[in-house]
Amino acid sequence: MNVRAIIEWDEVSQLYSATCPELNFVSSFGESRDEAIAQLKDAIALMLEPIPEVTV
C-alpha cells in the first residue's frame, strides 16, 4: 500500500511532524525526518491492526 505522508518542521516544538491525510490524518513526530517517518509507519501499522473479537 502506498500512501502520502506530509513531513513538516515545527519551529515552536523543534520537531518534525509526519501526517498521512489518506488514513484519517494519522500522525506522529520525531527529532529527525527519519524518526518522524518511522514513528508514522508504526502509527499506521497500529491503526490498520485488526481489532480482536471479544466474547462475552
Side-chain angles (χ1 to χ4, degrees), residues 1-55:
M1 171 193 309
N2 289 322
V3 293
R4 178 176 49 136
I6 299 171
I7 314 298
E8 298 177 306
W9 172 251
D10 182 27
E11 282 294 327
V12 175
S13 65
Q14 296 291 296
L15 295 168
Y16 285 94
S17 68
T19 306
C20 182
E22 287 85 6
L23 295 176
N24 205 21
F25 288 93
V26 65
S27 62
S28 193
F29 63 91
E31 292 183 3
S32 69
R33 289 175 53 91
D34 290 338
E35 184 181 358
I37 292 168
Q39 296 291 345
L40 180 63
K41 287 179 182 180
D42 288 344
I44 290 170
L46 286 171
M47 187 187 111
L48 296 176
E49 189 174 283
I51 298 172
E53 289 190 30
V54 178
T55 56

